[in-house]
Amino acid sequence: MLREERKKELKKDIFLKSIELFKEYGYENVSVEKIASACGIAKGTFFNYFPKKEHVLLHLGSSQIVLVKEIIQTHQCSNIKSKVHHIFRELLATYSQHADLLKLTISETIRSALKAESANILTLTDTLTDMFIDAKNTGLFQSAFDPKTISSVLVGIYFNSLITWSLSESPDEDLEIIFNSQFEVVWEGIEKK
Amino acid sequence: MLREERKKELKKDIFLKSIELFKEYGYENVSVEKIASACGIAKGTFFNYFPKKEHVLLHLGSSQIVLVKEIIQTHQCSNIKSKVHHIFRELLATYSQHADLLKLTISETIRSALKAESANILTLTDTLTDMFIDAKNTGLFQSAFDPKTISSVLVGIYFNSLITWSLSESPDEDLEIIFNSQFEVVWEGIEKK
DNA sequence: ATGTTAAAATGACCACAGTCACTAGTTGAC
DNA sequence: GTCAACTAGTGACTGTGGTCATTTTAACAT
């Protein structure tokens, strides 16, 4: 069906243009009308593709999850700790690139999670959980705690580092350093047999 | 000066009426105009006291910090773990009472943290950090990790539990249980000498 | 009392997210 | 080719958050 193709194409167009504009002028300073006219469509059409303006950001967030899945599959590694570490380092790296935008993405992701409007966080946690279950089964990993709790804690630390980083006056203070120190603490607990 | 008195009084009035209305009709369904007229003031006046509608929620959030400080001072306890545990249990308890509203509060707190518009989270973390420094000095507590990181991790777990809880389909699943399991994991790490 | 000045209240006003009744375009059946 | 049925596009309209020039009120000085 050609119809579907076109729809996907347009959604992608809207998404890319939005991101581009957000980066240039800042999320708040770009109206839906601006996006629409930049895409050569009417305002109403935008809402046929994204129910709310903020859903563009959630869409961006969901692409991070795809990234995680890719890493889990490609990055074979004997040591589970370094694998997990690698996943988050990678996530934080993409984060650092377009910090302002992803700050908003995180904030919208959490917001929508609390409004039960999107399941991005849940998906991320589940993906990690599966990885831990796998690692437990193949004997790569042992822990007194259950995989779901562990993943949840890790995801928590991830978001928390981002928040902590945003809060720190000095943007020099490295995001990765903040994450690492928190990671070391919790991993110490996770590894408990 | 009488002027100041009146201002504080009115701010409190606006705050309480807002919360009352939010609880009854839901945050989104209460316009600033509604709040204003319920307080017998004009819409513009509202914004003389709270720069944005959402700041009413942040104000609510900051009252939780006061609670923490109170607990730290009153609840004397030989065991630091149980003290920390007590603090968070208490926080979560007030949370459970008006869940919907505090869900929004959390979401706004995080949001504003990421926008660098409010320092609630920072204050909470600092308060805990001071407590840990104190405990280290008096020999009540030892850890290989520094107090700031520890507090940060704990605050992270706190918010994360709330998020996890919101995400769980079943509201039966106890918030306290979720927090406890995450707390056990990280405390294991924190205690590392 | 009266005048002066600064703070606080006001509500018309604006910009923008989101809605919806309507129009235009597409598909497939005959 | 024609019609019917559905899908996608549209933009005037609405409700609300937030602003700001103006007015009202309070505080103090003389």
Side-chain angles (χ1 to χ4, degrees):
Chain A
M1 195 168 259
L2 230 134
R3 210 65 169 281
E4 291 299 311
E5 276 302 313
R6 292 270 231 59
K7 274 185 75 177
K8 276 213 168 138
E9 203 61 35
L10 181 51
K11 181 163 186 175
K12 201 172 159 188
D13 278 1
I14 295 173
F15 174 65
L16 291 175
K17 257 280 181 285
S18 301
I19 297 299
E20 193 187 316
L21 290 169
F22 291 163
K23 276 189 187 167
E24 176 139 21
Y25 303 104
Y27 179 76
E28 306 267 296
N29 303 316
V30 178
S31 67
V32 173
E33 194 121 31
K34 254 266 175 311
I35 297 170
S37 79
C39 296
I41 57 173
K43 188 163 85 153
T45 308
F46 173 95
F47 291 101
N48 285 349
Y49 292 84
F50 295 94
K52 316 231 165 192
K53 186 185 174 188
E54 64 203 55
H55 274 66
V56 175
L57 297 175
L58 296 179
H59 192 75
L60 178 63
S62 70
S63 72
Q64 286 224 324
I65 292 164
V66 175
L67 179 64
V68 171
K69 284 184 179 160
E70 274 173 24
I71 297 171
I72 289 178
Q73 293 197 333
T74 60
H75 190 79
Q76 288 307 330
C77 187
S78 57
N79 184 342
I80 188 89
K81 182 181 176 184
S82 76
K83 188 169 185 174
V84 172
H85 204 253
H86 182 80
I87 290 169
F88 284 104
R89 265 223 318 277
E90 207 69 31
L91 280 180
L92 293 170
T94 64
Y95 187 91
S96 304
Q97 278 164 36
H98 10 251
D100 284 349
L101 206 51
L102 278 175
K103 214 178 270 187
L104 279 168
T105 305
I106 299 292
S107 133
E108 284 311 322
T109 302
I110 292 172
R111 191 186 175 73
S112 70
L114 288 163
K115 279 204 284 182
E117 273 186 1
S118 141
N120 276 350
I121 296 182
L122 210 62
T123 315
L124 178 56
T125 311
D126 285 350
T127 307
L128 285 173
T129 305
D130 288 346
M131 192 199 67
F132 278 116
I133 291 174
D134 234 49
K136 257 193 174 169
N137 286 340
T138 59
L140 262 175
F141 170 69
Q142 283 182 293
S143 171
F145 303 105
D146 88 295
K148 201 177 157 188
T149 304
I150 293 172
S151 323
S152 197
V153 168
L154 285 170
V155 172
I157 293 301
Y158 170 62
F159 283 112
N160 190 46
S161 309
L162 294 170
I163 294 169
T164 308
W165 180 62
S166 302
L167 285 167
S168 71
E169 296 297 316
S170 55
D172 326 322
E173 202 173 344
D174 204 342
L175 175 54
E176 217 170 301
I177 292 173
I178 293 176
F179 176 77
N180 280 350
S181 54
Q182 298 194 10
F183 180 73
E184 286 304 326
V185 175
V186 305
W187 191 265
E188 199 63 49
I190 288 171
E191 265 192 333
K192 181 83 183 308
K193 302 291 176 348
Chain B
M1 194 168 263
L2 229 132
R3 210 65 167 283
E4 290 301 311
E5 277 301 315
R6 292 270 232 58
K7 273 185 75 177
K8 276 215 169 138
E9 202 61 36
L10 182 50
K11 180 162 186 176
K12 200 172 158 189
D13 278 2
I14 295 173
F15 174 65
L16 292 175
K17 257 281 181 283
S18 300
I19 297 299
E20 193 186 316
L21 289 170
F22 291 163
K23 275 189 187 169
E24 176 138 20
Y25 303 104
Y27 179 76
E28 306 267 301
N29 302 316
V30 178
S31 68
V32 173
E33 193 122 33
K34 254 264 173 315
I35 296 170
S37 79
C39 297
I41 58 174
K43 188 164 83 152
T45 308
F46 174 94
F47 291 100
N48 286 348
Y49 292 84
F50 295 93
K52 315 232 163 190
K53 186 185 174 189
E54 64 202 56
H55 274 66
V56 175
L57 297 176
L58 296 178
H59 192 76
L60 177 63
S62 70
S63 72
Q64 286 223 324
I65 292 164
V66 176
L67 178 65
V68 171
K69 284 184 179 158
E70 273 173 24
I71 297 171
I72 288 178
Q73 293 197 334
T74 58
H75 190 80
Q76 289 306 330
C77 188
S78 55
N79 184 344
I80 188 89
K81 181 180 176 186
S82 76
K83 188 169 187 175
V84 172
H85 204 253
H86 182 80
I87 290 168
F88 285 104
R89 264 225 317 278
E90 208 68 31
L91 280 180
L92 293 170
T94 64
Y95 187 91
S96 304
Q97 277 164 38
H98 11 252
D100 284 349
L101 207 49
L102 280 175
K103 215 177 271 186
L104 279 168
T105 304
I106 298 292
S107 136
E108 285 311 322
T109 303
I110 292 173
R111 191 186 173 76
S112 70
L114 287 163
K115 280 203 283 180
E117 274 186 0
S118 142
N120 275 350
I121 296 182
L122 210 61
T123 315
L124 178 56
T125 312
D126 286 350
T127 308
L128 285 174
T129 305
D130 289 347
M131 191 198 67
F132 278 115
I133 291 173
D134 233 50
K136 256 192 172 169
N137 287 339
T138 58
L140 261 175
F141 170 69
Q142 285 181 293
S143 170
F145 303 105
D146 88 294
K148 202 177 158 190
T149 305
I150 292 171
S151 320
S152 197
V153 168
L154 285 169
V155 172
I157 293 302
Y158 170 63
F159 283 112
N160 190 45
S161 309
L162 293 170
I163 294 169
T164 308
W165 180 63
S166 300
L167 285 167
S168 70
E169 296 296 316
S170 55
D172 324 323
E173 202 175 343
D174 206 343
L175 175 54
E176 217 171 300
I177 290 174
I178 293 175
F179 177 77
N180 280 350
S181 54
Q182 299 194 11
F183 180 73
E184 287 304 326
V185 175
V186 304
W187 192 264
E188 199 63 49
I190 290 171
E191 264 191 335
K192 181 82 183 308
K193 302 290 176 346

